[in-house]
Amino acid sequence: MFSSKWRLLKKDLKAALKSTPDPLTTQEETLVKEIRRITQEKNRNNVTRTMAYLHFFEKHPEIHWALLAHLVSRNAGWNMTDLKGEYLSKLLTGKEGRDFFVFLERGNWLIFQDAYPQLLLYDASLKHGRPLYHLLDALNVSKFMKPFWERFWKSGNSEELTKALIVNEQHYIENRVVRNHLYMATVMDKVMFKLQDMLSMNHILFPYMTPIQQKIKLVGGTVHHFSAVDERILLGRSLYELLYGVRSRLDQIVQWCSANKHTGSRKDYWPQLFNDVNETPPGHVHEMTMSPCKRKQNGSKIYSPRLEIVWEDWVHAEAETGDWFKSVNVLDMMKKNAKEFNGDIESVYCRTLEEIEFASQTKLTFFQNTEGRSADRP
């Protein structure tokens, strides 16, 4: 049974590789244009695309990937505003912060403009009462995805479709962002090293509210080896299994997402610790009086701004053309077992906050001492 499934998939993918696009009818051309228009409208910035994923999931909860994409996109937004927030704005130069924002924004934008048309085409198929996946070619979607959408239409296997979308989107950004020489020179070799290797800034958080204690909890995982496409795929699958692993917790995560609009500020999930208004005096670094995991903080809060306040909408160049899918051997990435996350990310994330605070304080003290010695010289 197991082996026959993969044999059939391999056969379907080989056929997809050899297929050629069908000519479109006038009605089909109109639908493709409308899908592109809606996608462009929703892809304005991280906030609009993140909420678009959620609204689609609320309409079609059978598309598990939309919820996973919403949560990962929330994390991308928090990372974007961190660059202008309390600590990282003091640890990175202005150019480093901008370079990293463009890197995050490009990847976030590219995935949405590739994946959201697929979601809209599924919605259109339901409205028409028949599969319209022959239009994936006209939307410049990889040939890899067509067999999976066709199988999903017949079987409703949400897990298989989610895994396929994870494989597709990570390969889609591989050469366009991760292996793009522009980002490798400015971000991958410099800023990513500083943030991930030195400061462990590589956590993906899923917030939810516990029903009894009415307390925000965090589960999630940590990114390792971001530059390796296989590792990113396994990370995505691990996060998916964590998200859907416990039904009661899944329901609480969905409830939290629906009740808390994404703004890009970490205040969205942790208002006891973060504020979207800067309370720290100029020339100072916020100092936590106790572990951030204690929740109840005394004094000022950590500055975590809303996205729209600190980053203008970015105007993107058109997505690079070309289909990444060249060989059916990529199916191996769907067969491999993903690493199981225990989900306990909260204490790890708290330690990361403390590390970043310490690094910011150290840098400030160093510059103050340097300036003091310069002022003392005759």
Side-chain angles (χ1 to χ4, degrees):
M1 178 83 179
F2 181 82
S3 59
S4 90
K5 167 191 167 179
W6 296 113
R7 280 199 300 271
L8 285 172
L9 257 176
K10 186 173 284 190
K11 180 182 177 182
D12 290 344
L13 285 168
K14 284 182 177 178
L17 270 174
K18 298 175 183 177
S19 66
T20 55
D22 296 327
L24 303 188
T25 65
T26 302
Q27 292 83 358
E28 288 172 340
E29 287 179 352
T30 301
L31 176 58
V32 167
K33 287 179 182 177
E34 180 64 6
I35 286 175
R36 286 177 173 159
R37 183 193 68 78
I38 295 172
T39 300
Q40 184 177 15
E41 174 189 305
K42 302 292 185 183
N43 206 9
R44 188 162 58 85
N45 56 46
N46 170 265
V47 170
T48 57
R49 66 182 70 106
T50 301
M51 294 309 295
Y53 284 136
L54 178 63
H55 295 152
F56 185 89
F57 173 77
E58 290 172 334
K59 185 178 181 182
H60 299 294
E62 68 274 18
I63 307 296
H64 294 177
W65 184 87
L67 177 62
L68 178 64
H70 168 74
L71 286 160
V72 172
S73 191
R74 275 196 188 245
N75 280 267
W78 294 331
N79 288 333
M80 289 175 186
T81 56
D82 284 346
L83 298 168
K84 294 281 192 176
E86 187 74 50
Y87 300 127
L88 291 190
S89 62
K90 299 174 178 68
L91 289 170
L92 300 176
T93 66
K95 183 181 184 304
E96 286 175 333
R98 184 180 178 85
D99 287 344
F100 196 29
F101 165 75
V102 173
F103 171 80
L104 292 170
E105 168 65 14
R106 183 64 173 174
N108 206 227
W109 181 88
L110 278 170
I111 287 176
F112 188 88
Q113 70 86 38
D114 181 71
Y116 200 65
Q118 298 180 56
L119 305 186
L120 293 179
L121 192 60
Y122 169 71
D123 182 70
S125 296
L126 291 175
K127 289 176 180 175
H128 284 77
R130 60 187 176 88
L132 300 173
Y133 302 126
H134 61 288
L135 299 181
L136 288 169
D137 287 323
L139 292 165
N140 297 320
V141 175
S142 171
K143 292 179 182 293
F144 175 79
M145 285 308 304
K146 186 178 178 183
F148 289 100
W149 279 110
E150 290 174 338
R151 287 166 63 90
F152 179 72
W153 183 263
K154 296 175 182 177
S155 70
N157 188 333
S158 300
E159 182 178 351
E160 181 181 272
L161 179 65
T162 302
K163 289 179 179 179
L165 282 163
I166 290 170
V167 169
N168 179 63
E169 300 314 327
Q170 290 307 319
H171 276 97
Y172 183 75
I173 65 169
E174 175 71 357
N175 289 326
R176 291 172 173 88
V177 177
V178 181
R179 296 295 172 190
N180 186 311
H181 67 93
L182 294 175
Y183 302 113
M184 289 189 76
T186 59
V187 177
M188 298 301 293
D189 293 340
K190 295 179 181 178
V191 187
M192 290 285 279
F193 172 80
K194 184 181 288 188
L195 293 183
Q196 291 196 355
D197 290 3
M198 291 173 61
L199 299 174
S200 304
M201 277 295 291
N202 47 8
H203 309 308
I204 295 178
L205 312 175
F206 296 165
Y208 66 99
M209 179 78 75
T210 57
I212 298 175
Q213 300 97 334
Q214 285 296 293
K215 176 183 176 183
I216 285 289
K217 297 286 289 180
L218 302 173
V219 293
T222 301
V223 180
H224 298 291
H225 311 298
F226 181 85
S227 60
V229 63
D230 289 2
E231 291 293 331
R232 295 198 310 276
I233 290 169
L234 290 175
L235 169 70
R237 288 184 48 198
S238 297
L239 290 170
Y240 171 57
E241 290 175 13
L242 174 67
L243 179 59
Y244 277 82
V246 179
R247 181 68 205 205
S248 58
R249 187 179 63 203
L250 170 65
D251 292 341
Q252 290 159 18
I253 291 173
V254 172
Q255 288 168 12
W256 182 88
C257 290
S258 297
N260 293 272
K261 184 180 182 297
H262 175 61
T263 71
S265 171
R266 293 188 183 272
K267 179 184 177 183
D268 291 350
Y269 66 87
W270 214 337
Q272 299 90 344
L273 186 63
F274 295 97
N275 196 359
D276 54 11
V277 175
N278 195 349
E279 303 176 23
T280 307
H284 293 74
V285 174
H286 177 276
E287 186 173 355
M288 288 179 279
T289 57
M290 60 185 74
S291 167
C293 280
K294 296 291 185 184
R295 292 296 198 277
K296 293 181 180 179
Q297 301 292 316
N298 297 323
S300 62
K301 298 176 182 177
I302 301 170
Y303 179 47
S304 179
R306 299 192 303 277
L307 186 91
E308 62 187 14
I309 300 299
V310 292
W311 294 113
E312 294 182 354
D313 293 348
W314 192 257
V315 179
H316 288 267
E318 288 292 318
E320 297 85 346
T321 58
D323 192 341
W324 64 267
F325 178 47
K326 306 296 182 187
S327 167
V328 296
N329 291 335
V330 74
L331 268 181
D332 292 342
M333 285 311 302
M334 295 184 65
K335 296 179 186 179
K336 285 185 180 179
N337 293 325
K339 176 185 176 183
E340 184 177 342
F341 286 142
N342 62 19
D344 182 19
I345 196 72
E346 198 164 305
S347 59
V348 178
Y349 178 63
C350 287
R351 285 198 300 273
T352 296
L353 278 177
E354 291 172 331
E355 289 173 8
I356 297 170
E357 180 208 32
F358 177 75
S360 301
Q361 295 282 2
T362 301
K363 183 174 181 180
L364 179 66
T365 302
F366 171 78
F367 278 111
Q368 286 175 340
N369 290 340
T370 302
E371 289 172 0
R373 286 194 298 270
S374 299
D376 290 340
R377 289 173 186 161

